[in-house]
Amino acid sequence: MDTVAAPGFLFTVLAFVLVLGVLVFVHEFGHYAMARLFGIRVETFSVGFGREILGVTDRRGTRWKVGWIPLGGYAKFAGDLNEASQPDPAVAGLPEAERAGLFQFRPLWQRAAVVAAGPAINFLFAILLFAVFFMTWGHQYTPPVVGTVVADGPAAAAGVRAGDRFLEVDGQPVDRFEDMVRIVAMSPGDPMPVLVERDGAQLRLTLVPQKVEDVDRFGNRYVRGRIGIRSGPPEVVHRAPLSALAHAVDETASITRLMGDTLAQIVTGRRTIEELGGPLKIAQFSGQSAALGAAALVSFVALISINLGFVNLLPIPALDGGHLLLYAIEGIRRRPLEPRVQEWVFMTGFVFLISIMLLLTMNDLASFGLWQGLKGLLG
C-alpha cells in the first residue's frame, strides 16, 4: 500500500471540529428532545465548553450556544447545579408550583429516560449513517469462505483448509469474511474457538491469531491478529432500504460488542491502555478520513458515534452511565443519595475522567513520537 501524505494541520483541525461538533450536537439533542417530551425546562444547550462564542435564546428560554473548547457539550436543565447535571440543593425548598418543570423532581423513570436518550441517539445516528452508506456507496460483502491458506500460518496449524466456510469465530456468528477479520484482529495471541463447515459437516477448531504490525497509507502503525487465510474476491452490494437498515443494526451491534471486548481485555490485562487513543488521535483520524473522501468520513463519523454512545454508558460518575447507576441505587433505596455523597461521587468521577483524558493524551503524544524526539534533543 502506497503511503499518502498526511493532511495539513488546519484541515485536520477543521475536520475534527466538524466531526466532534456534529456528534456532540446529536448526543445532547437526545437529552434535550426527551426532556422537552416530558415538559422539563432546558436552560442551556451548548456545543463546546468554556466561554460562549455565539448563541441565541429561543422563545422557550433555552440558550443555544457554542463554546470555545470543542471537546464536548451539555444540556443544562432548570434546577441543575452545574453542566454535569448535579442537583442543586437550593431548589429543595421551592413551592410545589415552581417544581413542575424541574428535572430532579420528575419521576425516576423519566429522569433515567432523559439521561439514556443521549447515548441511545448516538447508536441510532450510527445506524442511520450505515444504512445510508449501504444504500449509496454500497455494502462490501465477502462470503466467509477460505480461498487459500497460508502455509505455516495459524490457520494451517489448526487444520483449516481451502473451501471451509466459517460459521462462528470466538463464539460470535459471522456472515461475512470482513466480520471474521475484525474479530480476529482484536485478539492477537489469544486462542479462540471457531466453527467451520466442510463438505456439509461442522468442525470445531482452535486458532491462535498471530500478532502482526500493520502500517496504513498515512503511516499509522497498528497491532492486530492474523490467522493466515485469504478470501475470494469481495462484492459490493447496494442494499434496499429495509435490508440496509437491518445490516446497519448488525454492523452497529458488532462494533459495540468489539468495543466491549476491547475494554474487557484492557481491564484484565490482555491489552495495554497504551493502545487506546485520545482526542489528538481522534483529531488525526478525522483529518485523514476527510482526506480520503466522503465515504471514509461518513464511516468514521458512524464509528465515533458508536464510541461516544458506548463510553457514555460506562458507570462512571459525571458520565450518563454514572447518572443511570445513581438512579438504579435510588430505585433500590427508594430515595436518592444524600447531596453531600452525590457531590463527592461527582467530584471523584470528574477527577477520574480528567486523569484518563490526560493519560490518553500522553498516549497520543507518544504515538506521534514526541517523547522520542525530546529524548533525542536532551540526549
Side-chain angles (χ1 to χ4, degrees), residues 187-237:
S187 300
D190 294 333
M192 57 172 51
V194 299
L195 178 65
V196 301
E197 183 180 72
R198 180 186 302 164
D199 299 328
Q202 294 185 359
L203 302 175
R204 292 195 176 274
L205 307 172
T206 300
L207 295 171
V208 183
Q210 178 185 6
K211 187 176 183 179
V212 297
E213 184 179 87
D214 280 347
V215 181
D216 68 12
R217 67 184 67 188
F218 292 103
N220 300 308
R221 296 183 178 276
Y222 305 90
V223 174
R224 68 177 183 87
R226 185 174 64 188
I227 58 176
I229 61 174
R230 299 187 182 94
S231 69
E235 304 173 10
V236 177
V237 181

Side-chain angles (χ1 to χ4, degrees), residues 157-180:
V160 176
R161 300 177 186 175
D164 287 352
R165 173 181 286 270
F166 278 79
L167 304 177
E168 292 182 4
V169 176
D170 203 21
Q172 301 181 40
V174 292
D175 297 317
R176 303 183 302 152
F177 195 87
E178 293 82 2
D179 298 332
M180 181 177 60

Side-chain angles (χ1 to χ4, degrees), residues 78-343:
D80 287 349
L81 182 64
N82 49 40
E83 291 83 356
S85 293
Q86 184 180 353
D88 185 355
V91 302
L94 291 176
E96 188 68 29
E98 298 183 29
R99 299 182 179 185
L102 300 186
F103 174 77
Q104 62 180 283
F105 293 108
R106 287 311 175 98
L108 181 61
W109 70 271
Q110 290 189 7
R111 284 180 279 141
V114 170
V115 171
I121 201 171
N122 279 122
F123 290 112
L124 292 175
F125 186 60
I127 291 171
L128 174 63
L129 289 179
F130 279 134
V132 171
F133 191 99
F134 296 158
M135 287 187 292
T136 53
W137 287 285
H139 187 198
Q140 182 168 301
Y141 176 86
T142 307
V145 177
V146 179
T148 57
V149 180
V150 178
D152 300 325
V160 176
R161 300 177 186 175
D164 287 352
R165 173 181 286 270
F166 278 79
L167 304 177
E168 292 182 4
V169 176
D170 203 21
Q172 301 181 40
V174 292
D175 297 317
R176 303 183 302 152
F177 195 87
E178 293 82 2
D179 298 332
M180 181 177 60
V181 170
R182 187 159 51 194
I183 296 170
V184 169
M186 296 303 297
S187 300
D190 294 333
M192 57 172 51
V194 299
L195 178 65
V196 301
E197 183 180 72
R198 180 186 302 164
D199 299 328
Q202 294 185 359
L203 302 175
R204 292 195 176 274
L205 307 172
T206 300
L207 295 171
V208 183
Q210 178 185 6
K211 187 176 183 179
V212 297
E213 184 179 87
D214 280 347
V215 181
D216 68 12
R217 67 184 67 188
F218 292 103
N220 300 308
R221 296 183 178 276
Y222 305 90
V223 174
R224 68 177 183 87
R226 185 174 64 188
I227 58 176
I229 61 174
R230 299 187 182 94
S231 69
E235 304 173 10
V236 177
V237 181
H238 288 81
R239 304 287 183 185
L242 289 180
S243 176
L245 186 61
H247 282 88
V249 171
D250 289 341
E251 187 80 2
T252 301
S254 177
I255 293 172
T256 303
R257 185 165 51 245
L258 286 177
M259 288 179 179
D261 292 343
T262 301
L263 180 61
Q265 290 173 1
I266 291 173
V267 171
T268 57
R270 293 162 59 197
R271 300 179 78 95
T272 66
I273 197 169
E274 283 79 10
E275 297 182 44
L276 296 180
L280 298 181
K281 271 294 183 183
I282 295 176
Q284 180 189 35
F285 291 147
S286 296
Q288 292 173 354
S289 299
L292 292 175
L297 183 60
V298 169
S299 181
F300 178 73
V301 170
L303 177 64
I304 298 301
S305 188
I306 296 171
N307 189 283
L308 185 60
F310 177 84
V311 169
N312 266 280
L313 284 177
L314 297 177
I316 300 172
L319 293 180
D320 294 329
H323 288 282
L324 293 174
L325 176 61
L326 292 181
Y327 294 154
I329 295 173
E330 180 180 341
I332 295 171
R333 299 175 77 237
R334 303 297 179 89
R335 66 181 187 279
L337 294 173
E338 289 69 22
R340 182 174 297 180
V341 176
Q342 291 194 43
E343 182 177 354

